[in-house]
Each structure stands twice: as C-alpha cells, then as structure tokens.
Amino acid sequence: MSDFMDLLADLSPEQQELFRLRLARLHQAGAPTPAPPIPRQPRTDAPFPLSFGQQRLWFLDQLMPDDLSYVIPLAVRLSGRLNHDALNRSLRALIQRHEILRTTFAQGADLQPVQVIAPPQPESVVVPQIDLRDWPLSERHALAQRRATSEIRQAFNLATGPLLRSTLLRLDDDEHWLILAMHHIISDQWSLGVLIRELGILYQAYAANPPADPVLPELPIQYADYAVWLRDQLHGEVLDQHLGYWRQQLADLPLLELLTDFPRPPVYTSSGATYPVELPLDISTTLHELSQRESATLFMALLAAFNVLLHRWSGQTDIVIGSPIANRNHTATEGLIGFLINTLALRVDLDGNPTFRELLARVRRVCLDAYRHQDLPFEMVVDAVQTRRDRSRNPLFQVSFVLLNAPMEPLQLPEISLSPLELERGATQFDLSLSMIETPAGLRGRLEYNTNLFDRATIARLVGHFGTLLQGIVANPDQPIAALPLLSEAERALFAAWNTTACAFPPQPVSQIFEAQAARTPDAIALQFNEQQVSYAELNARANRLAHYLRSLGVGAETRVGLCVERSLDLVVGMLGILKAGGAYVPLDPEY
C-alpha cells in the first residue's frame, strides 16, 4: 500500500484526482474500454490544421507580433569538457524526430492558419557558438548574461521560423552557457521535460568514443496527428456537456479589482518582471499532511491560500484564477513535444468567511469538477462564456497559479556538471502569475507581475503576506479566513507606532480652546482659502455672530444642526458657530 501511495504522490495534482476518479468508475462499472489509438494522418501535400490552442496563439501573434510573453526560455550552465559537435548532432536529431520543432504557420487559401512542416536538414548547424574568451575574465559573466537575456528577448516570426532557437556561449575552455528559446505555439512545460530527457540520451550516444547510435523508441504519433484527432473528438453530446458545465460555472464572471500602483492601460501590455518566492520546508510538509486529511492535494491547498491572499487584498469573495493542466491523458501524447497544455478557469466562492479547512473543501470540489471537463479547450470556453471583449484584460481571469510538477528530469551529460541559469524575459501573460515547485528545501517559485500595473515594492509586500498567511494556515486551519494573519512582524510594529497617537488634551470644549487661541494671537492668520485670508479675531467674531443667531432660533445642547456648505471659509465659520451655540453640526454633502 505504501508503494502505491508513493506512486500516487509522484503524479501531478490533476493526474492524482483523475486517477481516483477512474478508480471509482472501475469499481462501479468493471474494466473500462481502452481508449482508441490516435490515428496517424497521411503525409500529403495538404497542410495540417492548428490545434485549438495553437489557433488562439496564432491570432494573438497577429495582434501583437512582438509579444515576448509566449517565449519559453531554457538556460543552463555547462561546466566541464563539452563536445560541441555531439551537442549539435543531438539537437539536430531532436528536430528531425519531432516534426513540431520544424513547423511554421502560414495562412491557407481560406485565410485560416495552417501548419507547414519542413523536411529535416541533416547537415544543418542548429547550435551556433559565440566565443567570449577574448574578453577579460572579469567581464565575461556580465557579457554572457546580457547576450543570454538578449537571446530570449527576441520575438519569433511564426510564418518563417525557426521557432526553436539555440545559442552556445563559450566563456572558457570548460564553461559554456546553453540558451534555448521556443515559442509556446510549439511547446509547453511538459515538452521541456521531454526535450531535456531525450537531449541527454542523444548527447551521451554521440559523445561516446566511438559515437553510438542513440536508442529512442519510435514516436507513435506526431503533433499534427494529435491536432487533427483533437478536432475530431469534440462534437455532439460530449461537446454539449462540456459547454453546459463551463457556461454555468463561469456565468456573470467578476473582474478582480486589485489595487494597482499605476492606472490600467486601455490595451493590455505584457511588460513583466519576476519576484522570488521561498517558503520553508515545514510549510510544505504541514500543507501535505492537511491536504491528505482533507482528501485534497498540495495544489488545492496552495490554490486555496492564494485565493485567500487575493480576497484579503481586494475585498472580493468571487475570484477566478487560471491554472494550466498537462492535458496528456492519452498514452500516445506522453512523449510528444508540442502545445498540448490546456487552461482551467477555477472560480472559488469565499463568501461567508469560511475557515480555511472549509474553503479547502470548496476548492477541492471546484477542481474535481473542472478536471472532469478539462477536455474542452480553453479557447472554446472563452468563446462560449465571454460576452464582451476588454482589450485591457485577459479573457476570463487576470491571475494564474501553477504548481510545477511535469516530469522534468535533470539534464545529465557525461563529463559535464549542469546548473540552471535564471534569466528575466521581461514579459508576462497576466497581471499576476504565481508558479511554485517542491524542492528538498521547501516550496520555491516566483511571482511574475505586470510592471505597467505594479511596483516591485508592492509585489514584495504581496509575497511577504503570502508567506505570513501560509504560516497562519498551517498553525491553525480552522481559523476563519478573515482572521488569518497577513502582516509581517515589521509591518505590525510599524502600524503600532503609527497608531500611537494618544496625547494630553485640555478638558475644555473645542470652541473654548479656539477662543483662547484667538485671544493670544488675534492678528495671526487662522484660515486661508484660495486668495482669501481670515485672522483669528475676525473668524471668532463671525462665529460668535452665527452662534447668537442660532441661539435665537432655539439651538442649544443636544441640538443637531444641518450644515450644507461647499468647501470654503464659511464652512469653518458654520462649524465653529454651531459649536459655540452648544449644538452639534451634521455635515450634508452638497452633491446630495
């Protein structure tokens, strides 16, 4: 049983839930019918259609051809004896093996986009090398950082390609930086794991002495086959069920109105930056235990906590967060490189100030229902639900969350040690995008944010509040979400200092204190409004005249007097006169 639980723990959150669902169906209905294989399409001169996800990215590229938010970067430092020819042969073999890596996108005869698959180029150089050894040693790393960042900040041309770029920076005889960049239209997070795994197998074979033939199983299908098959699946009753669920779930969608540092531009811009997120091991361990007790997953617990954070920052109780899902339920797709990922709009109700444990149950139900209807492409959900277009925002949601757990094996090359490089691509798809991953030291990740909306200091506070919130959750998940701690120790100390406003105050009424001041400094300026000025003596005299008049009308103690005056000197005369008469003023907004 423990082996089974260990196996289940290695699966992604959506895979765990789908596994449980399928196991339940197996108990209810006996052995399920195996899914029919995805058929291979004949390779004729006719171009292939795009998948639904590819089609949306293609249209977005037509609107914003220089958008960098769909660039997927991968950068690693290679320390040791690198065989450049073996690396070049390995990437060339990958491009030959996966058709999607040599695919471009053009307009067909009916003006609709199509996939154009180029033939392999057996002798092409796909990893150009830039030698930086002529530069002083003290300057090489800074130069390499600038060159690497420049490589991932170049837009792609979907019509001409290539949509996979690679560059090798040589800093020394035994130090290289490998920079890869792909457009999202041909890849996703899972695909990076496939690419890294196969690149290691190919390099190990080609770098051997003598070079060996790499052993990789033949791919049962290519991405173009998947795109055709996917379009054939969604029709009739199955399509209607999926559309019905999402239309009901996402009816009357709210807009998340976070307080931004800058006004929202009329047209959404993708300028972005990232801020690191680091959470201690005890938080992830306790969240795991809490999730297991509540029949949930770590993903669901973190999603619930992120909802609480957004709720506390916005005051809203109806929140939609987008989350990508691998969408590789068919065995033939597991080894594919391509854009198979789907996106789920997860709408959570936080009304009624539930405890975190109660909220986790709500989130679990939302996720399980969404997993049952995950086969409907996000693009079709948008078309079915979105009733009005707003070019200043993303459709359906403005914030995303992902717990990364795609099968990303570490790249292993003979005689070489590798370490990841952090590069800032300077772009984001959403207002906020939180990505987390489990490490032996705890949860790590980053919060990607739109720099046209948020200042870095604001994001730093947001990340700090998330850590404080999670500490409060693991300490007591039965607290109402409104009672969960949010502020850091430093912020609490600062607020305490700001709120220490107690001071000695004379026991006399305000009107008498003012009269004493007027007696001390009768000629000093008491009020100034625009070009008008009034001394203490004059202000006191005008207030006295009004007080005598009000008393003649019967104003005295406990009498409320309405005061409806625009911002002016007369406003202050009215307030003082009412107080001098012994009454209480009731301000009335002239706009009423």
Side-chain angles (χ1 to χ4, degrees), residues 97 121 154 213 230 269 273 322 325 358 413 460 474 505 559:
R97 173 176 169 82
Q121 302 293 326
Q154 294 182 35
D213 291 328
L230 181 64
T269 59
I325 191 167
E358 291 168 342
L413 305 179
V474 299
F505 198 77
T559 303

Side-chain angles (χ1 to χ4, degrees), residues 47 156 187 192 217 222 254-255 263 283 351 387 396 441 451 453 547 584 588:
F156 287 95
S187 184
L192 287 182
Q222 293 285 341
L255 291 176
I283 286 182
D351 195 26
T387 55
L396 305 191
T451 52
L453 296 176
L588 303 174

Side-chain angles (χ1 to χ4, degrees), residues 230-497:
L230 181 64
R231 287 183 171 274
D232 290 340
Q233 298 304 300
L234 294 171
H235 55 78
E237 184 179 350
V238 173
L239 177 60
D240 291 341
Q241 288 178 353
H242 289 320
L243 286 173
Y245 166 78
W246 288 112
R247 282 180 178 140
Q248 179 180 3
Q249 179 67 10
L250 303 179
D252 302 320
L253 273 181
L255 291 176
L256 181 61
E257 298 288 359
L258 291 171
L259 188 62
T260 59
D261 296 302
F262 313 109
R264 183 177 292 275
V267 177
Y268 187 81
T269 59
S270 60
S271 300
T274 61
Y275 194 90
V277 180
E278 295 185 0
L279 301 170
L281 182 60
D282 64 308
I283 286 182
S284 59
T285 301
T286 310
L287 279 178
H288 263 301
E289 296 169 352
L290 172 63
S291 302
Q292 289 177 356
R293 288 195 300 270
E294 302 302 317
S295 300
T297 63
L298 178 62
F299 167 81
M300 295 173 184
L302 288 169
L303 178 64
F306 195 34
N307 266 279
V308 175
L309 180 69
L310 298 176
H311 159 65
R312 296 282 293 275
W313 268 60
S314 68
Q316 296 174 235
T317 58
D318 188 0
I319 294 176
V320 186
I321 297 177
S323 186
I325 191 167
N327 200 33
R328 296 188 184 237
N329 300 321
H330 204 292
T331 55
T333 63
E334 292 179 359
L336 277 186
I337 292 177
F339 180 29
L340 285 83
I341 196 171
N342 197 15
T343 303
L344 302 178
L346 303 173
R347 184 178 188 177
V348 175
D349 176 17
L350 296 93
D351 195 26
N353 194 24
T355 67
F356 183 79
R357 196 185 301 273
E358 291 168 342
L359 178 63
L360 180 55
R362 295 184 190 182
V363 170
R364 179 181 181 274
R365 286 194 298 271
V366 168
C367 290
L368 290 180
D369 288 343
Y371 296 155
R372 294 185 184 99
H373 297 278
Q374 66 168 302
D375 293 334
L376 189 68
F378 178 71
E379 295 67 33
M380 297 183 72
V381 176
V382 172
D383 291 339
V385 172
Q386 187 97 345
T387 55
R388 63 181 179 87
R389 300 293 177 177
D390 184 351
R391 295 194 65 191
S392 69
R393 302 172 186 266
N394 279 282
L396 305 191
F397 56 83
Q398 293 80 53
V399 176
S400 74
F401 170 70
V402 59
L403 178 62
L404 296 172
N405 45 28
M408 183 81 74
E409 297 179 7
L411 180 59
Q412 296 181 348
L413 305 179
E415 300 184 63
I416 294 176
S417 61
L418 299 97
S419 55
L421 293 167
E422 291 294 331
L423 299 178
E424 188 77 71
R425 64 175 178 172
T428 183
Q429 297 175 29
F430 305 103
D431 294 359
L432 295 172
S433 184
L434 176 62
S435 58
M436 303 293 294
I437 189 169
E438 278 194 279
T439 73
L443 286 161
R444 297 289 182 269
R446 61 185 187 176
L447 182 62
E448 200 171 66
Y449 62 98
N450 191 301
T451 52
N452 286 327
L453 296 176
F454 298 103
D455 185 80
R456 190 169 183 83
T458 299
I459 299 302
R461 287 196 300 275
L462 186 66
V463 170
H465 289 177
F466 189 53
T468 303
L469 181 68
L470 285 168
Q471 288 175 349
I473 288 170
V474 299
N476 182 7
D478 292 311
Q479 293 181 81
I481 59 175
L484 287 167
L486 205 65
L487 302 181
S488 66
E489 291 288 345
E491 287 174 318
R492 285 198 291 270
L494 186 60
F495 273 98

